[in-house]
């Protein structure tokens, strides 16, 4: 949704710049700068050719600031919803060290890898949600079209089974109060969303995600991959370790790991090694991870080891997401099987009982 304020200024509501468009724009910046174009000409081309209108407007405003003498990184700080602190810091270091093209290439690869990783994690959750939705619709079909036709038959029984009566009463309650139940469901969803946006709700959700089997492993490996990639890129671009840790901590959404990374930053500023601090949290950082960090610190190859760890854990995440349907499918089958078994016992059982009584007569 767009609100036009003037010829050059628009407010975009509910519009988020795609990470793909952002990565492509930064990649194009790097390519054009490497080809010899000036920074102003490069920004002008990007501000005209970017497919996203919000991104075009941001680059147009950045171009205006650069023409007045501002650095690109300083101009980008006006758009924190588009350019993260990681992006701005890497560009700032590139401007100061004369390696802007190289740093922009780093950023393009970094954003592309992060997007692919996040897409795979989200994609892994699609299959279970589809199965649960289909199961829900099937159960509603049974409640609305099958059970009502059988209520008269079961009510004719002198002593119908308790499970049968429970299923019939529950289905009748759902049909009678479907509107109120739908409203209650919407209210619960809205209240839950509002709750999970609060600090208490965020803390609860983040801690819960680190306790659920299967999901826990996926979350931890995804965080380790993202942390390794971000910190490795920042160190490789020339940012000091303490500053790189401060920036990296802001890219972690999980509150548990955010607190650990903040502790890590403070301890490193006091002279402690990264591996020694991470070794205090064996549940969050596997021994392999801590050992690789330790070797990197001792051999002055920390950024290389971090990028290796990123590749390792990114492959682990990819393998888990590819196998997620295989891992979750047995659980879904058990759930669906239980639902079918309850219906079978509640509906078919009394029919067999009636058939047996007729045969005895």
């Amino acid at each position: 949704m767009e609100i036009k304020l003037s010829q050059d200024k628009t407010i975009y509501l509910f519009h988020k710049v795609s990470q793909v468009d952002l990565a492509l724009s930064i990649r194009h910046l790097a390519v054009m700068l490497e080809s010899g174009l000036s920074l102003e000409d490069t920004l002008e081309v990007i501000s005209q050719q970017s497919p996203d209108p919000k991104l075009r407007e941001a680059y147009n405003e950045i171009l205006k600031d650069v023409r007045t003498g501002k650095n690109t990184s300083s101009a980008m700080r006006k758009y924190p919803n588009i350019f993260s602190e990681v992006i701005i810091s890497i560009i700032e270091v590139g401007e100061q060290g004369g390696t802007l093209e190289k740093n922009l290439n780093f950023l393009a690869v970094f954003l592309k890898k992060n997007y692919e990783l996040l897409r795979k994690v989200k994609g892994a959750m699609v299959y279970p949600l589809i199965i649960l939705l289909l199961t829900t619709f099937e159960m509603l079909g049974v409640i609305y079209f099958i059970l009502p036709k059988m209520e008269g038959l079961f009510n004719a029984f002198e002593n119908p089974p308790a499970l049968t009566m429970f299923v019939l009463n529950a289905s009748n309650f759902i049909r009678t109060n479907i509107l109120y139940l739908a409203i209650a469901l919407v209210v619960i969803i809205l209240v839950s969303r509002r709750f999970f946006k609060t600090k208490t709700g965020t803390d609860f959700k983040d801690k819960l995600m680190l306790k659920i089997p299967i999901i826990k492993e996926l979350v931890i490996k995804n965080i380790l991959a993202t942390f390794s990639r971000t910190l490795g890129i920042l160190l490789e671009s020339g940012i000091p370790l303490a500053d790189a840790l401060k920036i990296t901590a802001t890219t972690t959404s999980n509150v548990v790991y955010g607190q650990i990374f903040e502790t890590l930053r403070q301890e490193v500023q006091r002279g402690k090694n990264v591996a020694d601090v991470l070794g205090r949290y064996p549940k969050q950082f596997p021994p392999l991870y801590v050992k690789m960090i330790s070797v990197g610190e001792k051999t002055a190859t920390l950024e290389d080891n971090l990028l290796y760890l990123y590749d390792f854990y990114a492959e682990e995440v990819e393998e888990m997401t590819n196998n997620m349907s295989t891992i979750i499918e047995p659980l879904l089958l058990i759930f669906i099987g239980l639902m079918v078994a309850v219906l079978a016992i509640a509906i078919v059982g009394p029919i067999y009982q009636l058939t047996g009584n007729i045969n005895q007569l």
Side-chain angles (χ1 to χ4, degrees), residues 203 206-207 210 252-261 284:
D203 292 353
D206 290 346
K207 291 175 182 177
L210 294 176
T252 304
S253 59
N254 186 279
V255 66
V256 176
Y257 277 88
Q259 292 171 353
I260 294 174
F261 293 147
Q284 287 77 26

Side-chain angles (χ1 to χ4, degrees), residues 125-342:
M125 307 308 298
V126 172
Y127 174 76
L129 289 176
I130 291 175
I131 297 298
L132 289 175
L133 284 174
L134 289 175
T135 304
T136 301
F137 284 121
E138 289 174 0
M139 294 304 299
L140 288 174
V142 171
I143 290 171
Y144 269 90
F145 300 108
I146 296 178
L147 291 181
K149 297 178 180 179
M150 307 190 74
E151 281 186 357
L153 173 64
F154 293 136
N155 288 331
F157 283 30
E158 293 184 2
N159 296 307
L163 179 60
T164 302
M165 293 307 300
F166 172 79
V167 171
L168 290 176
N169 292 333
S171 64
N172 184 58
F173 176 80
I174 292 173
R175 291 195 304 273
T176 306
N177 301 281
I178 186 64
L179 179 60
Y180 300 108
L181 291 174
I183 293 173
L185 180 61
V186 171
V187 170
I188 290 172
I189 292 174
L190 293 176
V191 170
S192 299
R193 288 185 64 182
R194 183 176 291 271
F195 170 72
F196 285 124
K197 288 181 180 179
T198 64
K199 186 179 185 305
T200 303
T202 301
D203 292 353
F204 173 78
K205 179 189 68 176
D206 290 346
K207 291 175 182 177
L208 180 64
M209 295 295 284
L210 294 176
K211 293 180 181 179
I212 302 175
I214 301 175
I215 300 296
K216 174 182 70 174
E217 294 296 322
L218 185 60
V219 170
I220 290 176
K221 289 177 180 179
N222 185 40
I223 291 174
L224 293 180
T226 304
F227 173 77
S228 302
R229 178 73 186 173
T230 307
L231 185 58
I233 285 288
L234 291 172
L235 293 176
E236 194 169 15
S237 65
I239 297 176
L241 178 58
D243 295 336
L245 287 170
K246 181 179 179 180
I247 297 167
T248 304
T250 64
T251 65
T252 304
S253 59
N254 186 279
V255 66
V256 176
Y257 277 88
Q259 292 171 353
I260 294 174
F261 293 147
E262 178 59 26
T263 301
L264 173 62
R265 183 187 67 82
Q266 294 175 2
E267 293 292 325
V268 167
Q269 285 183 329
R270 297 189 185 103
K272 296 290 183 65
N273 290 330
V274 175
D276 293 338
V277 179
L278 297 183
R280 303 174 192 170
Y281 307 95
K283 292 183 179 180
Q284 287 77 26
F285 297 92
L288 169 65
Y289 191 90
V290 177
K291 186 65 176 177
M292 287 293 295
I293 296 292
S294 177
V295 170
E297 289 182 301
K298 291 177 181 177
T299 59
T301 58
L302 180 57
E303 56 268 30
D304 294 334
N305 285 22
L306 283 165
L307 295 177
Y308 169 81
L309 284 169
Y310 163 77
D311 291 332
F312 175 79
Y313 282 103
E315 288 180 7
E316 291 277 302
V317 170
E318 183 176 0
E319 185 176 349
M320 283 195 70
T321 53
N322 291 338
N323 296 329
M324 186 63 73
S325 58
T326 305
I327 296 171
I328 295 180
E329 189 171 350
L331 300 176
L332 294 174
L333 290 176
I334 291 173
F335 170 74
I336 296 171
L338 287 174
M339 300 293 289
V340 172
V342 169

